[in-house]
Amino acid sequence: MELSNQLKTLADKIIMLKDKIETEESTKHAFVLPFINILGYDTFNPTEVVPEFTADIGIKKGEKVDYAIFDKNDPILIIECKNWKEKLSVHNSQLFRYFHVTKTRFALLTNGIQYQFFTDLDEKNKMDSKPFLEFDITNVKENVINEISKFHKSNFDVDHIVNNASSLKYIQEIRKQINNEITNPSNEFVKLFANKVYAGRLTEKVMDEFKELVQKGFNQFISEKINDRLNAAINKEAEKQLTEQIELIVDESKVTTTEEELEAYRIVVAILRRKLPINRIVHRDTQSYFGILLDDNNRKPLCRLHLNGGKNYIGLFHENKTETKQAIQSIDDIYLFEKELLDTVGVYEKN
């Protein structure tokens, strides 16, 4: 989860700054170095991250790759960077030459937004022409985050990554082919389905008709699958809400709200009125605590008051929504937690 959040933060930064970044050097510093840091490597430690790493090629001396990440004095990943505005496809030949003369099994080509990871699956010590892992950092899927995590310093295992790279590479290519066939079906793809449902001769006219039918059929199938999953998720959420409402009704039938709890609620309202209108601050009493919610939403607790036991507490909520109990001598002590209460409102309003 931490890696996912770090990548999301970097992605937001890239979206916000990219139009202000003009050069390759700026791209490195603003986009690529933070990504290396996210992988757990210290960009200020020259034994871990070496900028302008020398990769002499035959009679060509002084050839340098932008960064090399080291482990135990050996390079484990070389990185070639380009300006974020440049397409990567025209630059992999340069990285191909560097890969051949280093001991690394992995190479990364990036413009700070698009990332392409290569290895040597096809021929030992010779970089493959196609990446085994490719993603856009501003739109990273959960399964890709899992693959990125394997390059983290704490997880890095050459054999594990290489063994998995083959299936990744082919799955990636298969997905591309599926996308191509759905958006622009080939004759072979159309014939595959037309032969199963059409008994006549597949003339050019018939093929043109079936090309459109196959495309529509696949789009409808995908749409129905998506709708089925959405409906299942909606029904599950509705069922959960109904269960919560029933439990709440049962709880409320056993609850007696005290005047002290109502007075404490009025203190919380007095604190929060500088940020919220009164009608958004709602109390909900339960058997175990007196809760105060934002917008009457039990997923947005502002605080909880525990006033019916031997000791009194106020339960405060932070960004991760876990409750932290603080002892209070009297309800007047609620004023001591003014900042925490206002910060909680700020978290919900920001989200």
Side-chain angles (χ1 to χ4, degrees):
M1 182 61 73
E2 183 181 359
L3 178 63
S4 178
N5 291 336
Q6 289 175 327
L7 290 170
K8 176 66 168 59
T9 299
L10 178 57
D12 291 342
K13 175 185 174 184
I14 288 171
I15 292 169
M16 181 176 65
L17 293 180
K18 66 178 184 178
D19 291 332
K20 298 180 176 66
I21 301 296
E22 297 293 338
T23 65
E24 180 180 308
E25 203 62 30
S26 297
T27 299
K28 292 179 193 176
H29 288 284
F31 301 162
V32 180
L33 286 177
F35 178 77
I36 296 173
N37 280 325
I38 287 173
L39 293 182
Y41 298 99
D42 183 357
T43 53
F44 294 102
N45 183 348
T47 65
E48 279 192 2
V49 180
V50 179
E52 297 296 311
F53 175 63
T54 301
D56 290 337
I57 305 168
I59 60 172
K60 294 185 70 174
K61 302 298 182 183
E63 290 285 303
K64 296 181 185 296
V65 65
D66 289 311
Y67 299 104
I69 295 178
F70 274 70
D71 179 45
K72 298 175 183 176
N73 299 319
D74 289 322
I76 57 174
L77 175 66
I78 59 172
I79 305 172
E80 182 66 15
C81 308
K82 299 301 170 187
N83 189 309
W84 73 269
K85 297 177 183 179
E86 293 188 44
K87 292 184 177 181
L88 297 181
S89 56
V90 298
H91 295 293
N92 58 2
S93 60
Q94 185 179 10
L95 191 58
F96 181 92
R97 298 197 307 271
Y98 297 150
F99 186 93
H100 182 66
V101 295
T102 64
K103 294 180 181 179
T104 184
R105 293 292 304 276
F106 304 107
L108 168 60
L109 178 62
T110 181
N111 60 9
I113 298 177
Q114 303 292 328
Y115 283 76
Q116 296 179 349
F117 284 83
F118 297 83
T119 188
D120 55 354
L121 295 172
D122 298 334
E123 188 176 338
K124 187 77 171 177
N125 203 32
K126 185 177 180 182
M127 193 181 90
D128 298 335
S129 59
K130 293 182 178 179
F132 69 88
L133 177 62
E134 186 174 3
F135 59 87
D136 181 326
I137 199 169
T138 63
N139 185 28
V140 184
K141 303 294 189 293
E142 195 62 37
N143 63 308
V144 174
I145 292 174
N146 183 51
E147 299 305 325
I148 296 172
S149 71
K150 294 172 184 173
F151 282 92
H152 194 279
K153 182 180 178 180
S154 60
N155 302 325
F156 191 85
D157 183 316
V158 173
D159 294 334
H160 181 58
I161 299 173
V162 170
N163 291 339
N164 192 50
S166 180
S167 60
L168 271 179
K169 178 181 177 181
Y170 292 119
I171 288 172
Q172 185 168 264
E173 290 302 311
I174 290 169
R175 285 166 62 100
K176 287 181 180 178
Q177 291 302 318
I178 291 173
N179 182 63
N180 291 339
E181 295 292 2
I182 291 174
T183 54
N184 185 26
S186 66
N187 286 338
E188 293 82 358
F189 193 69
V190 174
K191 284 179 181 178
L192 175 67
F193 293 96
N195 280 326
K196 292 179 183 295
V197 298
Y198 183 72
R201 193 165 68 90
L202 296 178
T203 64
E204 186 176 346
K205 181 180 179 181
V206 173
M207 285 290 291
D208 287 341
E209 290 175 357
F210 266 96
K211 183 173 184 177
E212 185 176 348
L213 292 173
V214 168
Q215 189 174 19
K216 284 183 177 179
F218 262 88
N219 287 332
Q220 288 175 8
F221 176 79
I222 292 169
S223 295
E224 287 171 4
K225 284 294 182 183
I226 292 171
N227 286 332
D228 287 346
R229 294 193 66 174
L230 286 173
N231 288 332
I234 290 169
N235 291 336
K236 186 175 181 180
E237 181 64 22
E239 183 180 341
K240 182 180 178 183
Q241 289 180 357
L242 179 60
T243 302
E244 289 175 349
Q245 289 171 359
I246 292 171
E247 290 174 349
L248 179 62
I249 291 169
V250 172
D251 283 347
E252 286 178 343
S253 67
K254 302 176 183 178
V255 170
T256 301
T257 301
T258 66
E259 181 57 38
E260 184 182 33
E261 288 171 332
L262 291 174
E263 181 60 29
Y265 166 69
R266 288 190 280 269
I267 291 173
V268 173
V269 170
I271 292 171
L272 298 182
R273 280 191 66 180
R274 68 184 64 182
K275 280 195 173 183
L276 295 170
I278 293 177
N279 62 354
R280 295 188 65 192
I281 309 169
V282 179
H283 67 76
R284 189 181 293 178
D285 204 354
T286 71
Q287 285 183 285
S288 53
Y289 60 82
F290 182 86
I292 301 177
L293 309 172
L294 177 62
D295 299 328
D296 202 15
N297 185 339
N298 59 11
R299 291 182 178 81
K300 296 182 178 180
L302 295 167
C303 69
R304 288 175 181 172
L305 298 165
H306 305 264
L307 304 177
N308 296 324
K311 290 184 178 181
N312 294 336
Y313 298 91
I314 180 172
L316 301 169
F317 292 86
H318 306 286
E319 194 154 3
N320 57 7
K321 293 188 181 180
T322 56
E323 181 183 9
T324 303
K325 290 183 181 180
Q326 299 287 346
I328 55 175
Q329 299 301 315
S330 71
I331 58 174
D332 288 335
D333 287 350
I334 295 172
Y335 286 109
L336 300 174
F337 303 98
E338 177 178 346
K339 181 180 183 302
E340 288 85 349
L341 290 167
L342 291 171
D343 285 347
T344 300
V345 172
V347 169
Y348 293 138
E349 295 295 86
K350 178 181 69 175
N351 293 336

